[in-house]
Amino acid sequence: MATVVGKVETQHENMIHDAQMDIYGHRLATCSSDRSVRIFEVDKNQHRLIATLIGHDGPVWQISWMHPMYGNALASCSYDKKVILWKESDRGQWAKFYTHEVHASSVNSIQWAPPDTGLYLACGSSDGTISILQGSGDDKFSFLMIQNAHTTGVNAVSWAPSHPSGTTLDPSTKDYDVISKRFASGGGDNLVKVWKFSDEKNAWEMEAELKGHNNWVRDVAWAPDTGFTTSTIASCCQDGKVFIWQCKDLDKANWDIKRTMHTFDDVVWHLSWSVMGDILAVSGGDNKITLWKESHKGAWICISKQDTNKTN
């Protein structure tokens, strides 16, 4: 069973919407309706506030750490229609270095692509579009837009692993150079969609449309590559349902396997896979965080439950 090992007093003055650890587990970033992003240095049960980032003009919904091979930086998105990129200097000072202002409404979700995919940032907005930023070096970025990605707004984006499921991760093999530029999105149109980049058209195209939810899709999470031949996406809904979608051949986009992992009594807001891709964390409107694992018979079993209202 998972246990609470520490508590961070963030000093935010309003509701916290997201909290993300960096890849090393040494830094924690939080964001809030107080329009700020805060960064903490974490050492076991100790934490220290090292930066408060001010730049947004509305609630900050989500944050995403850039992979350190590209620099010590993170992105934040907000109700103010902006995506802001922040970077730490050699002297340990954090500052804004790029602002992405192309959306006509709130930017609800952002995520950096896996490092092998490239320096890409997907941004989903309430205006129904998704923009994909691409870094070209020297803090310069270009972007491509997906118009009408979800007609009633985009709530979530999640990148696929760099290498397609089943690829041999041996640098000496030809499969190692195969890079999958794909991501999933969820929206207010009750749909989960899979997008793939076309080198020929220099554009992002919809590869699959996954139907099954009967209300707004609140989050999507593409599972890390586990070495098996099946790709897996989890999605959660306003109606409390969590679905597991699987595809055995991405090139054929055969997302024909859908299972209801569980139906909760309240809206489910967020999903997150473990690094190994075998445990799914679920959090929702009931203020509980549950961990789920698939049994050898294919059933999903709750292995841990934490009520956030009862933590000490």
Side-chain angles (χ1 to χ4, degrees):
M1 175 178 288
T3 58
V4 177
V5 297
K7 186 176 180 180
V8 177
E9 295 293 343
T10 66
Q11 303 173 40
H12 280 296
E13 298 175 358
N14 210 317
M15 182 179 295
I16 298 170
H17 297 291
D18 197 16
Q20 297 288 336
M21 299 293 295
D22 70 0
I23 192 172
Y24 302 116
H26 295 160
R27 296 274 177 91
L28 170 70
T30 61
C31 62
S32 165
S33 282
D34 66 8
R35 306 181 181 188
S36 73
V37 175
R38 295 179 184 242
I39 301 175
F40 300 85
E41 192 172 79
V42 179
D43 182 13
K44 297 181 180 179
N45 294 336
Q46 303 297 316
H47 65 275
R48 179 174 64 91
L49 178 66
I50 59 174
T52 299
L53 311 182
I54 304 296
H56 284 292
D57 300 315
V60 186
W61 302 129
Q62 205 166 72
I63 43 188
S64 182
W65 287 94
M66 181 188 290
H67 192 278
M69 71 180 288
Y70 294 112
N72 197 17
L74 59 80
S76 59
C77 65
S78 168
Y79 180 79
D80 65 7
K81 313 173 191 177
K82 300 176 186 176
V83 175
I84 297 179
L85 307 188
W86 312 83
K87 179 187 286 187
E88 184 180 26
S89 71
D90 294 337
R91 296 183 177 181
Q93 301 296 314
W94 284 85
K96 181 192 323 180
F97 75 95
Y98 187 86
T99 302
H100 182 54
E101 297 181 83
V102 299
H103 290 284
S105 191
S106 172
V107 183
N108 302 318
S109 182
I110 51 173
Q111 190 179 73
W112 292 103
D116 289 344
T117 302
L119 188 56
Y120 293 93
L121 180 72
C123 316
S125 172
S126 291
D127 64 13
T129 67
I130 299 173
S131 63
I132 299 91
L133 275 168
Q134 181 179 6
S136 56
D138 298 324
D139 296 341
K140 295 180 180 179
F141 290 84
S142 58
F143 70 91
L144 294 173
M145 293 288 290
I146 301 174
Q147 301 290 343
N148 299 314
H150 292 272
T151 54
T152 50
V154 183
N155 297 324
V157 292
S158 180
W159 286 90
S162 301
H163 299 275
S165 294
T167 301
T168 302
L169 299 183
D170 181 350
S172 65
T173 64
K174 64 178 181 180
D175 285 350
Y176 186 79
D177 292 329
V178 176
I179 299 297
S180 174
K181 292 183 181 179
R182 288 180 172 91
F183 68 89
S185 63
D189 54 5
N190 309 347
L191 297 172
V192 174
K193 295 184 178 182
V194 177
W195 307 89
K196 180 181 179 181
F197 183 72
S198 169
D199 291 306
E200 181 181 349
K201 298 179 181 179
N202 191 37
W204 291 88
E205 299 179 326
M206 189 180 73
E207 187 176 49
E209 184 177 87
L210 312 184
K211 299 179 180 179
H213 286 294
N214 295 317
N215 210 316
W216 282 26
V217 178
R218 286 299 182 180
D219 200 10
V220 291
W222 201 309
D225 181 21
T226 58
F228 296 105
T229 58
T230 302
S231 296
T232 302
I233 294 174
S235 61
C236 63
C237 183
Q238 183 75 26
D239 64 9
K241 286 185 171 64
V242 175
F243 286 167
I244 302 294
W245 311 83
Q246 293 185 315
C247 178
K248 292 186 177 181
D249 190 341
L250 278 179
D251 290 332
K252 295 182 180 178
N254 290 330
W255 292 92
D256 56 354
I257 303 174
K258 181 203 76 176
R259 286 180 290 169
T260 303
M261 188 200 79
H262 189 71
T263 300
F264 293 83
D265 295 330
D266 208 332
V267 55
V268 180
W269 293 112
H270 292 299
L271 304 169
S272 180
W273 289 99
S274 64
V275 174
M276 296 303 294
D278 59 341
I279 296 175
L280 181 67
V282 181
S283 62
D286 59 1
N287 293 317
K288 293 183 175 66
I289 299 171
T290 53
L291 302 183
W292 297 79
K293 186 178 178 67
E294 187 178 17
S295 72
H296 68 281
K297 294 182 178 180
W300 285 84
I301 301 170
C302 181
I303 60 173
S304 181
K305 181 184 294 186
Q306 180 67 55
D307 190 334
T308 58
N309 287 328
K310 296 180 180 179
T311 57
N312 294 323

